[in-house]
Amino acid sequence: MSNITIKTAEEIELMRESGRLLAKVFTMLDTFIVPGITTMEINDKVEDYIVNDLQARPASKGQYDYQYVLNTSLNEVVCHGIPKVDESLKAKDIINVDITLEKNGFIADSSKMYVMPEASPLARKLVKDTYEAMWEGIKQVKPGATLGDIGAAIQHHAQTNGYSVVREYCGHGIGREMHEDPQVLHYGIRGQGIPLKEGMTFTIEPMINQGGMKIKTKKDGWTVVTRDKKLSAQSEHTILVTENGYEVLTLRDEEKAFVVKNNL
């Protein structure tokens, strides 16, 4: 626990603001992402919106020498897809858009799946089940719970629905830095791992594969794909451990009805 930063009340307020602004980015994208648009157009639109409309900083740009402000991961791409000027969305695609935003020194991180109008029923189910798996993990968060509780809940939901969980990538602590301790695995055993404490902030971001869990990184050094070329999906939020449970710092307006309906 010595390397985990417990946020103060003042720092939590700043993180809430970063999360609120990041949620607005996805709301803006809801009408922008349509078949025919290129992934580079998504990148450029988000950069302009974050910088000029929100007066914030796209935290991914320049991190680890990365040139762009987000990742666009289509279909069999698990994560870290690079925006391209010649990559246009097709009517059957699914795409994960993963964005970070820094405001007043604190970073929020979230991703959302966008489903094109002719995507197959199996693709739609994968996206739905991945989103639900993330929430199964979020529901475990409270002081005294463990990181293993989060991973076990996600793994159970994914595997019950016939999917596999990517093991090589995980959630992470977040605050002044994009990647802080602890690592948040999306598989695990209940009761094991670090106990959660009020004031911890981290991401939960499961990557769920339609087929096997094996992945590979393409020659560009960034893009991670499924080895069997089957579809992959991801959902991500930044979470705060509160006195009695959790707060989703990057919650979008569209999700509030889902949260109420499912008593989350």
Side-chain angles (χ1 to χ4, degrees):
M1 290 290 291
S2 60
N3 294 324
I4 297 174
T5 303
I6 302 298
K7 307 304 188 295
T8 66
E10 293 77 12
E11 290 171 333
I12 288 168
E13 280 303 314
L14 294 174
M15 290 200 67
R16 283 193 179 108
E17 176 66 2
S18 296
R20 185 186 71 81
L21 293 179
L22 182 51
K24 292 182 68 171
V25 179
F26 289 101
T27 300
M28 178 274 295
L29 285 177
D30 287 345
T31 55
F32 185 77
I33 296 180
V34 294
I37 199 167
T38 69
T39 51
M40 189 61 76
E41 286 175 310
I42 298 171
N43 178 85
D44 294 347
K45 179 71 170 179
V46 168
E47 181 166 23
D48 177 70
Y49 187 74
I50 290 176
V51 173
N52 295 313
D53 289 73
L54 303 181
Q55 286 79 52
R57 180 178 72 86
S60 295
K61 189 172 185 179
Q63 179 88 354
Y64 309 120
D65 295 323
Y66 190 67
Q67 302 178 54
Y68 308 104
V69 304
L70 47 74
N71 293 118
T72 46
S73 300
L74 275 77
N75 301 323
E76 76 278 5
V77 179
V78 175
C79 60
H80 301 163
I82 298 173
K84 301 179 182 70
V85 294
D86 59 353
E87 182 178 62
S88 299
L89 297 189
K90 300 178 178 61
K92 293 184 178 181
D93 285 342
I94 61 173
I95 180 173
N96 179 268
V97 181
D98 189 347
I99 309 171
T100 60
L101 178 150
E102 181 265 317
K103 181 77 172 181
N104 297 319
F106 285 88
I107 299 172
D109 189 358
S110 184
S111 80
K112 178 182 176 178
M113 295 296 301
Y114 289 86
V115 179
M116 296 301 101
E118 296 178 23
S120 72
L122 285 177
R124 292 176 182 277
K125 185 175 187 304
L126 171 66
V127 171
K128 171 181 171 289
D129 290 341
T130 299
Y131 182 72
E132 291 176 351
M134 175 192 66
W135 276 103
E136 288 300 313
I138 292 172
K139 282 162 52 177
Q140 309 308 310
V141 176
K142 62 182 180 181
T146 69
L147 290 176
D149 296 343
I150 297 172
I154 292 169
Q155 182 180 9
H156 177 76
H157 190 80
Q159 293 180 347
T160 299
N161 284 282
Y163 306 118
S164 61
V165 179
V166 173
R167 307 296 179 101
E168 289 86 347
Y169 297 93
C170 61
H172 50 86
I174 189 168
R176 291 187 183 276
E177 302 293 333
M178 188 187 304
H179 295 113
E180 301 179 351
D181 286 334
Q183 292 190 332
V184 183
L185 303 183
H186 302 120
Y187 60 95
I189 299 172
R190 286 192 175 276
Q192 294 193 359
I194 293 169
L196 306 184
K197 287 189 174 182
E198 182 182 358
M200 291 174 65
T201 51
F202 50 80
T203 69
I204 296 177
E205 49 179 300
M207 286 150 258
I208 307 299
N209 292 349
Q210 206 173 44
M213 68 172 70
K214 291 185 178 180
I215 61 175
K216 64 179 180 181
T217 303
K218 297 179 79 170
K219 291 180 180 178
D220 61 22
W222 285 100
T223 308
V224 178
V225 297
T226 56
R227 282 193 175 272
D228 58 15
K229 296 184 169 60
K230 291 189 176 180
L231 297 177
S232 186
Q234 181 184 17
S235 287
E236 177 182 12
H237 272 310
T238 296
I239 310 300
L240 164 70
V241 183
T242 64
E243 180 182 5
N244 300 310
Y246 63 85
E247 180 179 340
V248 180
L249 299 179
T250 46
L251 190 72
R252 305 182 292 271
D253 285 344
E254 74 190 65
E255 297 178 286
K256 291 175 182 176
F258 176 87
V259 168
V260 171
K261 178 182 178 182
N262 292 278
N263 195 29
L264 296 168

